[in-house]
Amino acid sequence: MNLHYVQHVPFEHPGTILTWAKQQGCSLSRTLMYEDSSRFPQQKDFDWLIVMGGPMNVDEEALYPWLKKEKKFIAESIKEGKVVVGICLGAQLIAAVLGGKVTKNPCKEIGWFPISFDDEAQTMPLFSQFAKEMMVFQWHGDTFSELPQEARCLAKSIGCKNQAFVYRRRVFGFQYHLENTAEIIHDLLLHCADELVPDTYVQTQEEIVSHPEYMEQAQLNMGRFLDGLDALYKKGEI
């Protein structure tokens, strides 16, 4: 299987997704949007697309002209029937190209907070293995406040009504992060420290780094999701 990922900033890479892909023997390729020489592959050259997070907003095309090109690539990948997984900004970009609405969330979420899956999500093969409530890492100010047609919400939190969605069985958007490693969180705290303005759902740096057990569980859950997705893909059920 050929897995391609799009990375927007040096400090938000796919983390445990890369570890999983290498263990599975996947062929890996990438587009680094922060490099002038960045190029997207031909659709025939990959099977899965992973779209990572980043500090920019989906509508900042004047500051980041490559956003327009990336949106077109995401839309083409969905049209071609690729498995597409978006995380944070990546999920927002997917929602935007499918006709959803991305806006400021009522509050920022930064740190470890619980999400809850709805009852229908827990009957789906990919999500039935998870507890109804799951602790995840958040770092966002915007969100997909209105989902695209045919997309359905899978999970929510007290601070954000849409935390995950699925579109046509093989396109997934996650507002939260399961892929993070200690290195990624360290780099986020280094490069985005100015966002840690005290608020209801903004934790301190000390709170964020004091829960290695949350990190370990999140990484396990990332592996479980990818294993389940891979199994369904190989069976031709998505």
Side-chain angles (χ1 to χ4, degrees), residues 131-157:
K132 185 173 181 62
E133 188 170 280
M134 185 167 72
M135 190 67 72
V136 299
F137 188 75
Q138 306 273 8
W139 197 304
H140 70 101
D142 288 359
T143 190
F144 31 89
S145 53
E146 293 183 19
L147 295 181
Q149 290 186 1
E150 296 187 60
R152 67 172 305 277
C153 182
L154 300 169
K156 63 182 180 180
S157 69

Side-chain angles (χ1 to χ4, degrees), residues 52-187:
M52 296 307 302
M56 56 286 299
N57 301 330
V58 299
D59 58 354
E60 291 187 302
E61 293 179 2
L63 286 174
Y64 306 99
W66 44 259
L67 276 169
K68 186 177 294 186
K69 183 180 176 184
E70 182 180 1
K71 290 174 185 175
K72 181 180 179 183
F73 175 68
I74 293 171
E76 289 173 349
S77 300
I78 294 171
K79 184 178 179 181
E80 289 294 318
K82 306 297 182 181
V83 169
V84 182
V85 179
I87 297 170
C88 203
L89 171 65
Q92 295 165 10
L93 287 165
I94 291 170
V97 303
L98 290 174
K101 192 172 183 181
V102 177
T103 62
K104 292 289 183 188
N105 197 51
C107 57
K108 280 191 175 183
E109 288 185 306
I110 300 178
W112 296 98
F113 298 101
I115 62 164
S116 57
F117 292 100
D118 66 22
D119 292 341
E120 186 176 349
Q122 289 206 288
T123 68
M124 300 171 63
L126 275 175
F127 300 99
S128 59
Q129 60 191 315
F130 300 129
K132 185 173 181 62
E133 188 170 280
M134 185 167 72
M135 190 67 72
V136 299
F137 188 75
Q138 306 273 8
W139 197 304
H140 70 101
D142 288 359
T143 190
F144 31 89
S145 53
E146 293 183 19
L147 295 181
Q149 290 186 1
E150 296 187 60
R152 67 172 305 277
C153 182
L154 300 169
K156 63 182 180 180
S157 69
I158 296 175
C160 184
K161 69 175 183 177
N162 294 321
Q163 285 285 354
F165 69 84
V166 59
Y167 173 82
R168 294 186 178 179
R169 297 192 302 163
R170 58 171 51 204
V171 178
F172 301 88
F174 302 116
Q175 186 59 74
Y176 51 89
H177 299 264
L178 295 179
E179 82 288 357
N180 279 345
T181 62
E183 175 197 16
I184 293 173
I185 290 183
H186 172 272
D187 288 347

Side-chain angles (χ1 to χ4, degrees), residues 9 12 27 31 52 56 65 140 147 174 181 198 200-201 224 230 236:
V9 288
E12 287 199 61
S27 173
T31 300
M52 296 307 302
M56 56 286 299
H140 70 101
L147 295 181
F174 302 116
T181 62
T200 305
Y201 299 106
R224 287 169 181 160
D230 187 43

Side-chain angles (χ1 to χ4, degrees), residues 20-50:
W20 178 89
K22 290 172 182 176
Q23 290 172 345
Q24 301 301 313
C26 296
S27 173
L28 283 166
S29 58
R30 65 185 185 178
T31 300
L32 305 179
M33 303 308 298
Y34 50 89
E35 293 189 353
D36 292 339
S37 59
S38 63
R39 296 287 186 273
F40 291 110
Q42 297 291 317
Q43 292 291 325
K44 65 180 177 61
D45 292 333
F46 69 97
D47 305 300
W48 288 19
L49 172 64
I50 309 294

